Amino acid sequence: MASSPGAVSVSGLTSPRDCINIVVDAWNDMIETENESLRERVSDLEKKALDQGDEIVCLRSTLADVLRRLTLLENAVNSRGGLSPSSTGTVTPVRNGGFRGALNNHISQLKDGPLGGSRLRQPMYHQSSVESNNSIKEIAHRSNVPTALPQRRGVHYQSTGSLHSDSPSSNSVSPVPTSPSPTHTPPPRVSPSPRQSQPPTPTRSTNSNLHFAKRWSSTGDFNNSPHNGGSMNSRLATKSLLNLNVRVQSPHNMLKHGTRDATYNEEEKILRMFLRGRPIILYAPSSLAETYDITKVTTPPQSKLKLDWVYGYRGRDCRSNLYLLPTGEMVYFVAAVVVLYNVEEQSQRHYLGHTDDIKCIAIHPNKLLVATGQCAGHDRRESRPHIRIWDSVTLNTVAILGAGDFERSICCISFSKADGGQLLCAVDEANDHNISVWDWQKGERGQRITETKCSVDTVIAAEFHPLERNCIVTCGKSHISFWTLDAGGTLYKRMGIFENRDKPKYVTCVAFNHLGDVITGDSNGSLIIWARGTNTVSKLVRGVHDGPVFSVCALKEGSIVSGGGKDRRIVQLDSQLNASGLERQVPDHAGGIRVISEGRGSQLLVGTTRNCVLVGSLSMGLSTALTGHLDELWGLAVHPSLPQFVTAGYDKSLNLWDSMSHSLIWSKDLSEAAQSAAISPDGSIIIVGCVTGHWFALDSQTREIFTTHADGAEPIQVIKFSPNGQFLALGSRDNNVYIYQCGGDTRKYNRVGRCMGHSSFITHLDWSADSQLLRSNSGDYEVLYWNAGLCRQVPQSSSMRDVEWASNSCTLSFETIGIWPEGADGTDVNFCDRANNKKLLATADDFGKVKLYTYPVTQPRSLCHSYGGHSSHVTAVTFLHDDSRLISTGGKDTAILQWAVV
């Protein structure tokens, strides 16, 4: 070991300072030897890591051993009594130097080496100022001179979840640092310098080469830096080596939805968007790739939609919802639309003020104003339960009542009759079924006079008495109540007394005869007369119907007509409930009687539990005026050359409709619930996919099912014929696409195979124009391509960017980017369809909206026209063959809406 001039040999030591100098020299030599050894080891590990392609493995395996050796060395020095300042006033700092500095040099070099890249590259800072700031603290830490700073016993290591950090090292004697404050500003960034040769060994005045090394610091600063997507509250702020193996999951990545975070790579010509955090890669067509600008905004189309016709009626679960207006139109509702239908003229008008399911309707005594009440919808702000009063001639809204006052939905409403309709009563379908009375003419939002608890049980009907002012009758489960509104605005209730008679489980309907007596029907099939002004039974007639009485109607000429919900019979009685002998039974396919309303002359309007409306008389018979589906509706297909379309639903029925005459051509009862439908290119064959995996092929003219197949045990989600009619593709919920070859007469189907590769159920299919390729979407937002003849996946998705597709029903494609809202969930858009002229695209979403876009919808910010009418998720939309109309189907609302493209 080389010594400085004047050094004293060990055998001749005469002072403690000489001993300390010798120890310092020995320590420096030990540090240099250890540095050299570790440089070689780190270099070897670096080369090995480079060969393996993973520098992190190398650094992690070295760090623990390095820190262990440092602990042993420093503890050994500290055990000798520490170091004191030399005669020249310099000290030998050891806190962050030595071989740890050498290791930092290697890490810095590694960051800028072949494995560094942008992932590990961090800014390097000038360290002269940092070192000068820390030198005084180090002197105080290592010397025996008293200081005001707190002392640390032993060595503290800021081991972290990262191997390096860009924040300045905290090697003072202050407490172990944590993550920087939100206001922490790092030193200015400088460009990384090239790797320098090893600096010469310093002289005794500096005592070590520690000042040339990058300092270790808290890795909490690195993991929490915005550059690395970290969080200030990251669990990796814990100073533990265990965190080296914890992989950081950025919470920002879990929040990416829709097109908000979409990016476009101009070099690879691909667009990346996210659905529920999952990246979707879409390839731009060559014709658009060079000029594509993701920031542009597409304007809405010049064409618009106008509601042309509504197929359906809500009779399955709503009562007292069918009336005749003086205009000759019957008024009823389905979904969020009030329909005014003139049967003789075959015309419809529509009131579209509501935003969700309409549950009740009432006619003002002047027969011109109509009140309708809706339930709460998807949008808590725009779709709150409320009542709308509107003019049946102009369809203008007169007043809106109770927006924000009702809890769930309005199940019953009625105008007062004895005072000319000044008041309106309403029952909220909440737990307490509150009844409220409104002076609806005070302002645009009316004035609520009173509100009180009606019944803990279900309330089915509420009606103002036609002859007595301020008297209301309500009925429902196990009760009938007679209410009186006094001058002070308080409601008083008297319960109906059944005495020793059988109390029914439900009082199902209420009406009033010309004398003012109350007539009720119940679940026992009985009719009861309650004398005017009393709450006791005046007369009971048992067994009028076999099953519950769902409707009672008092005709102008004094007779009473009742309808049975189970026996489907309409029975006429006189005003005292004596049988007249005149009755009629509706067909079985129409269902039970839901409501009976008086029409012109002896005409009756009858709504049924299977969503049909019949018109006629008991003497002449009844004919079907309109028919609707009964259960959730998913299957929709249009005829290739005629203005016709088919619908199929969970009610096991297949219907063929004519869009010009707005009529049902034929209906076919199926043995299973239907999920999907398709029509062959020549229009002769209809394919229906069922929820059990079965599918039927039937003749569109004779309705004869000529073949049945089964593919899996899950629903057939989507069916598509190839443009040339030679192939049939069926997408199943079992994640497979089944391909069939059609025979010459399209009546024989031979299975070619199945396309396997999706990890979730199939949602949409499209054929290429040449009938050779197929693309598919799945429930986990995959976009895959297939060779249909071989049932093999095409792995090079980029080669599909310029394929011409015969249709565009896949919601995940480059041409449909803009249909996804910025915060879209992957299930928000259920269906889309491109017009045959390739100028428009329509979508069906979960919020009851039908939207119309300019095609192609390649911009994330694409404007559109949005239309309400459906109250449930819209399951499908399809343009007719000539693009003159658009058909949309609802799910739970069972409605079919026909839109004119104008």
Side-chain angles (χ1 to χ4, degrees):
M1 177 174 61
S3 60
S4 60
V8 182
S9 63
V10 176
S11 60
L13 291 175
T14 58
S15 69
R17 182 172 298 281
D18 294 334
C19 295
I20 290 174
N21 288 337
I22 292 175
V23 171
V24 169
D25 291 338
W27 166 252
N28 283 335
D29 290 342
M30 188 185 306
I31 291 295
E32 289 300 320
T33 303
E34 190 68 26
N35 270 345
E36 191 65 32
S37 173
L38 286 170
R39 283 191 203 102
E40 295 176 358
R41 183 175 180 183
V42 171
S43 180
D44 293 339
L45 289 173
E46 178 183 355
K47 292 177 181 179
K48 186 182 297 184
L50 288 172
D51 294 337
Q52 297 175 352
D54 190 0
E55 72 278 9
I56 298 301
V57 176
C58 165
L59 296 177
R60 285 177 177 170
S61 63
T62 305
L63 181 61
D65 187 64
V66 168
L67 295 181
R68 180 179 62 80
R69 287 174 177 269
L70 180 61
T71 303
L72 294 175
L73 289 173
E74 292 188 354
N75 285 342
V77 175
N78 290 337
S79 66
R80 296 179 183 235
L83 301 177
S84 61
S86 64
S87 57
T88 60
T90 60
V91 297
T92 307
V94 297
R95 175 69 185 88
N96 284 323
F99 61 87
R100 247 193 310 190
L103 179 60
N104 271 322
N105 285 335
H106 280 278
I107 293 173
S108 298
Q109 296 159 7
L110 183 62
K111 287 191 297 180
D112 297 323
L115 288 177
S118 60
R119 186 166 63 90
L120 289 177
R121 186 172 297 123
Q122 295 292 321
M124 299 178 62
Y125 305 113
H126 295 291
Q127 298 185 10
S128 58
S129 60
V130 177
E131 292 163 358
S132 62
N133 291 336
N134 291 330
S135 61
I136 299 176
K137 299 179 182 178
E138 290 180 350
I139 293 173
H141 177 51
R142 294 302 179 188
S143 68
N144 294 326
V145 179
T147 176
L149 294 174
Q151 298 295 309
R152 264 199 255 188
R153 298 177 64 89
V155 181
H156 291 264
Y157 296 108
Q158 285 123 5
S159 64
T160 67
S162 172
L163 292 177
H164 60 276
S165 172
D166 295 318
S167 60
S169 173
S170 177
N171 56 0
S172 69
V173 294
S174 59
V176 178
T178 57
S179 302
S181 67
T183 58
H184 169 69
T185 303
R189 172 181 292 194
V190 295
S191 302
S193 59
R195 181 171 180 173
Q196 302 293 332
S197 59
Q198 187 66 27
T201 303
T203 62
R204 171 73 71 80
S205 63
T206 58
N207 291 332
S208 77
N209 65 346
L210 301 182
H211 289 283
F212 292 91
K214 190 178 186 296
R215 302 175 185 274
W216 286 96
S217 63
S218 167
T219 60
D221 299 344
F222 175 75
N223 288 329
N224 291 327
S225 66
H227 177 74
N228 292 284
S231 169
M232 298 303 291
N233 298 322
S234 172
R235 65 178 184 275
L236 296 182
T238 305
K239 307 300 184 291
S240 170
L241 287 173
L242 296 176
N243 289 328
L244 289 172
N245 294 319
V246 178
R247 186 167 182 171
V248 180
Q249 287 287 348
S250 174
H252 180 64
N253 290 336
M254 303 305 294
L255 300 176
K256 291 185 177 180
H257 291 300
T259 57
R260 178 180 55 204
D261 301 295
T263 58
Y264 181 70
N265 187 317
E266 295 183 356
E267 295 180 359
E268 299 182 12
K269 309 297 187 295
I270 62 174
L271 183 140
R272 180 192 298 263
M273 60 180 286
F274 296 87
L275 290 178
R276 287 189 176 178
R278 177 165 184 165
I280 311 296
I281 305 299
L282 302 173
Y283 295 87
S286 300
S287 59
L288 298 175
E290 296 299 332
T291 59
Y292 182 75
D293 183 0
I294 196 172
T295 62
K296 286 185 177 180
V297 178
T298 302
T299 58
Q302 294 182 353
S303 300
K304 296 183 179 181
L305 299 181
K306 181 182 179 181
L307 187 58
D308 179 40
W309 200 266
V310 177
Y311 303 88
Y313 158 78
R314 185 164 184 168
R316 68 187 188 281
D317 59 354
C318 291
R319 296 169 172 82
S320 302
N321 59 355
L322 181 64
Y323 298 96
L324 185 70
L325 298 176
T327 58
E329 300 166 309
M330 63 172 72
V331 57
Y332 58 92
F333 56 79
V334 59
V337 182
V338 185
V339 182
L340 296 88
Y341 177 28
N342 191 311
V343 179
E344 296 177 356
E345 298 179 2
Q346 281 297 298
S347 62
Q348 280 188 358
R349 294 188 299 142
H350 311 100
Y351 177 73
L352 299 171
H354 287 280
T355 56
D356 212 274
D357 274 312
I358 303 171
K359 299 294 292 290
C360 54
I361 188 170
I363 308 299
H364 193 273
N366 64 13
K367 301 295 183 181
L368 294 179
L369 296 179
V370 180
T372 46
Q374 77 166 59
C375 66
H378 301 283
D379 191 327
R380 295 182 178 179
R381 186 174 183 179
E382 300 296 331
S383 299
R384 291 178 293 181
H386 63 273
I387 300 169
R388 305 181 79 90
I389 300 175
W390 46 279
D391 190 310
S392 63
V393 176
T394 63
L395 301 182
N396 293 329
T397 302
V398 176
I400 301 175
L401 310 180
D405 296 318
F406 296 104
E407 183 177 342
R408 292 184 184 172
S409 65
I410 298 93
C411 59
C412 309
I413 54 177
S414 176
F415 281 103
S416 58
K417 300 174 179 62
D419 60 2
Q422 296 181 6
L423 304 179
L424 180 81
C425 74
V427 177
D428 187 1
E429 206 168 24
N431 292 332
D432 290 336
H433 294 90
N434 294 329
I435 182 173
S436 55
V437 179
W438 298 76
D439 185 348
W440 63 269
Q441 298 181 79
K442 283 196 174 181
E444 292 184 356
R445 303 198 175 274
Q447 178 183 356
R448 183 171 58 186
I449 297 174
T450 185
E451 182 178 22
T452 188
K453 177 180 176 180
C454 184
S455 172
V456 294
D457 295 317
T458 303
V459 177
I460 293 177
E463 292 287 344
F464 266 100
H465 198 286
L467 301 179
E468 295 196 14
R469 294 173 64 93
N470 302 333
C471 179
I472 304 171
V473 179
T474 63
C475 64
K477 184 179 181 180
S478 302
H479 78 276
I480 179 172
S481 302
F482 300 87
W483 302 81
T484 301
L485 179 67
D486 66 7
T490 302
L491 279 172
Y492 295 95
K493 178 172 69 173
R494 293 180 299 160
M495 297 297 295
I497 301 174
F498 290 89
E499 297 177 340
N500 58 350
R501 298 175 176 85
D502 294 336
K503 187 176 182 180
K505 187 175 182 179
Y506 279 90
V507 179
T508 52
C509 52
V510 61
F512 304 89
N513 64 17
H514 64 287
L515 299 176
D517 298 330
V518 179
I519 304 173
T520 61
D522 58 41
S523 55
N524 295 333
S526 304
L527 293 178
I528 300 177
I529 293 180
W530 308 77
R532 178 177 176 179
T534 70
N535 62 336
T536 58
V537 175
S538 173
K539 183 176 183 179
L540 182 146
V541 181
R542 291 187 174 91
V544 178
H545 290 276
D546 180 15
V549 182
F550 277 173
S551 182
V552 175
C553 178
L555 303 181
K556 295 176 182 177
E557 39 89 5
S559 63
I560 305 296
V561 177
S562 64
K566 181 181 178 181
D567 60 12
R568 310 190 316 277
R569 291 168 52 239
I570 301 174
V571 179
Q572 186 175 30
L573 308 98
D574 63 19
S575 60
Q576 295 301 312
L577 303 187
N578 298 313
S580 65
L582 191 61
E583 65 177 64
R584 179 76 62 172
Q585 188 177 34
V586 302
D588 180 55
H589 67 82
I593 309 300
R594 175 62 74 189
V595 59
I596 301 175
S597 181
E598 187 173 15
R600 291 178 175 174
S602 61
Q603 187 185 63
L604 296 178
L605 309 179
V606 180
T608 72
T609 57
R610 293 186 64 85
N611 294 347
C612 297
V613 173
L614 309 176
V615 178
S617 64
L618 294 180
S619 59
M620 302 297 294
L622 302 169
S623 60
T624 303
L626 63 94
T627 303
H629 279 275
L630 182 62
D631 207 342
E632 197 157 344
L633 195 57
W634 283 92
L636 173 65
V638 297
H639 196 281
S641 57
L642 299 176
Q644 298 175 356
F645 60 94
V646 296
T647 55
Y650 289 172
D651 58 358
K652 302 180 181 180
S653 66
L654 174 68
N655 293 343
L656 177 64
W657 308 86
D658 184 86
S659 64
M660 301 302 292
S661 63
H662 312 123
S663 60
L664 178 67
I665 299 175
W666 54 254
S667 180
K668 172 77 173 178
D669 291 332
L670 305 174
S671 58
E672 300 178 25
Q675 180 74 45
S676 54
I679 300 180
S680 62
D682 62 2
S684 63
I685 304 298
I686 299 175
I687 307 292
V688 180
C690 300
V691 298
T692 59
H694 291 89
W695 58 274
F696 310 113
L698 65 157
D699 189 292
S700 62
Q701 299 295 327
T702 64
R703 290 171 272 173
E704 172 195 0
I705 296 177
F706 56 82
T707 185
T708 301
H709 295 264
D711 288 301
E714 299 290 329
I716 303 297
Q717 299 280 106
V718 56
I719 304 174
K720 283 277 187 176
F721 275 98
S722 63
N724 61 13
Q726 295 180 4
F727 292 97
L728 177 69
L730 303 103
S732 173
R733 200 170 180 85
D734 66 4
N735 305 355
N736 297 319
V737 180
Y738 298 90
I739 306 294
Y740 281 80
Q741 187 173 18
C742 307
D745 58 355
T746 67
R747 290 178 176 267
K748 295 180 181 179
Y749 298 90
N750 300 315
R751 193 162 113 174
V752 176
R754 59 178 175 172
C755 302
M756 297 183 293
H758 276 292
S759 55
S760 185
F761 58 91
I762 312 302
T763 57
H764 307 91
L765 294 173
D766 281 318
W767 282 94
S768 62
D770 60 5
S771 302
Q772 299 299 311
L773 300 172
L774 194 68
R775 70 177 171 186
S776 55
N777 291 169
S778 64
D780 57 353
Y781 325 126
E782 282 184 321
V783 185
L784 298 184
Y785 300 90
W786 313 89
N787 186 315
L790 301 176
C791 294
R792 296 291 180 87
Q793 183 181 346
V794 179
Q796 298 83 14
S797 298
S798 58
S799 64
M800 299 288 104
R801 67 168 77 234
D802 293 325
V803 173
E804 181 183 356
W805 299 100
S807 62
N808 201 146
S809 60
C810 285
T811 56
L812 291 175
S813 67
F814 193 85
E815 292 77 16
T816 59
I817 293 167
I819 69 175
W820 296 97
E822 286 192 355
D825 183 306
T827 61
D828 287 343
V829 182
N830 298 317
F831 203 90
C832 69
D833 187 56
R834 182 188 70 192
N836 295 287
N837 61 13
K838 300 182 180 181
K839 294 181 179 180
L840 300 173
L841 183 90
T843 65
D845 65 29
D846 263 357
F847 309 107
K849 300 296 184 184
V850 173
K851 295 181 179 179
L852 190 67
Y853 294 85
T854 301
Y855 184 86
V857 198
T858 54
Q859 301 299 138
R861 296 174 181 84
S862 296
L863 304 180
C864 67
H865 301 301
S866 181
Y867 302 93
H870 288 285
S871 58
S872 176
H873 49 281
V874 188
T875 55
V877 287
T878 304
F879 287 93
L880 293 184
H881 74 285
D882 59 356
D883 295 332
S884 62
R885 290 171 176 80
L886 177 78
I887 309 298
S888 63
T889 56
K892 291 292 186 182
D893 63 29
T894 72
I896 305 168
L897 304 188
Q898 178 175 304
W899 308 82
V901 181
V902 297

